[in-house]
């Protein structure tokens, strides 16, 4: 193996990527929330999803550069979520609850990888003008056309709703700051922000999951809607602008809490160099 140059990708590098990722995700949801609040109170803005928010940022000063940096951060966040789920970096354990959380992290890695690709495409001028809702309806239609597809779409919906319930429980119990390196005084102001944010995400997940269940029940992919659809459903209710404003403000709080996580979250990144050394030893033993 002499002469082989190895890229050093250790614990500190992974921690920096994770923190950059939390910051990028936080920035996206701050924009999502701010735009939706403005839409709710009739001051312009758009009650859309994260991809709509990226397009809005793209249209601003230095938009392509900012969206490009967000794309890098989201790739870092997706990588951290994947490693977090596979290696159990947060010591969730191998019990049922721990495995569910770790599986959710792996699913989150896939979702944010897709968002990172979208952001990178937009930054490079390659982004399509179709909304994310169209894409969701396309793959839902494909899935519904397959054997047992109806049941799979329904299970996806129930899984998303389960995630919403988990967010709401986290907000209710108030343990949102348990993995932050903050003293009691700082937690007193960070905790309400996090609880408000998780509650808003929980409501959105319940609505989005409900759309999937409705799609399965009616066997119609047109029933599927994303965050923009959830905002629209809230707006359509009596005093809907108040409901939309509250949930939108909660998404801004979720984004702000992501920025707090970027600075203060405890990140127990695994030492990937050890795994790299093990692989190198195996390679040497067979060559």
């Amino acid at each position: 193996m002499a002469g082989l140059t190895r890229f050093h990708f250790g614990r500190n590098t992974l921690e920096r990527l994770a923190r950059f990722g939390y910051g990028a995700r936080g920035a996206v949801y701050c924009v999502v929330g701010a735009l939706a609040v403005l839409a709710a109170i009739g001051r312009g803005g758009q009650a859309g999803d994260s991809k709509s928010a990226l397009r809005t940022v793209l249209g601003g000063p230095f938009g392509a550069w900012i969206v490009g940096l967000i794309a890098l951060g989201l790739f870092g966040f997706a990588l951290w979520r994947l490693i977090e789920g596979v290696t159990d970096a947060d010591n969730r354990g191998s019990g049922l609850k721990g495995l569910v959380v770790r599986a959710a992290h792996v699913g989150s890695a896939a979702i944010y990888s897709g968002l990172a690709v979208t952001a990178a495409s937009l930054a490079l001028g390659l982004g399509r003008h179709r909304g994310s809702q169209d894409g969701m309806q396309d793959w839902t239609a494909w899935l519904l056309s397959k054997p047992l597809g109806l049941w799979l779409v329904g299970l996806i919906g129930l899984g998303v709703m389960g995630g919403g319930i988990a967010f709401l429980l986290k907000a209710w119990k108030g343990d949102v700051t348990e993995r932050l390196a903050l003293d009691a005084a700082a937690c007193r102001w960070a905790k309400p922000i996090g609880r408000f944010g998780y509650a808003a995400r929980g409501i959105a997940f319940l609505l989005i999951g409900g759309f999937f269940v409705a799609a399965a029940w009616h066997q119609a992919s047109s029933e599927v809607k994303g965050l923009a659809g959830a905002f629209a459903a809230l707006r359509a209710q009596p005093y809907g602008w108040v409901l939309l404003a509250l949930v939108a403000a909660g998404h801004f709080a979720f984004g702000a809490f992501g920025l707090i996580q970027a600075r203060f979250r405890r990140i127990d990144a695994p030492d990937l160099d050890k795994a790299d050394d093990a692989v190198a030893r195996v390679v040497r033993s067979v060559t």
Side-chain angles (χ1 to χ4, degrees), residues 25-46:
R25 185 184 68 160
V28 169
Y29 281 107
C30 280
V31 176
V32 168
L35 291 174
V37 168
L38 290 174
I41 63 177
R43 299 289 183 177
Q46 178 183 5

Side-chain angles (χ1 to χ4, degrees), residues 22-23 25-30 193 197 250-260:
Y22 277 109
R25 185 184 68 160
V28 169
Y29 281 107
C30 280
I193 296 173
H251 277 74
F252 183 88
F254 184 77
F257 191 71
L259 299 179
I260 295 171

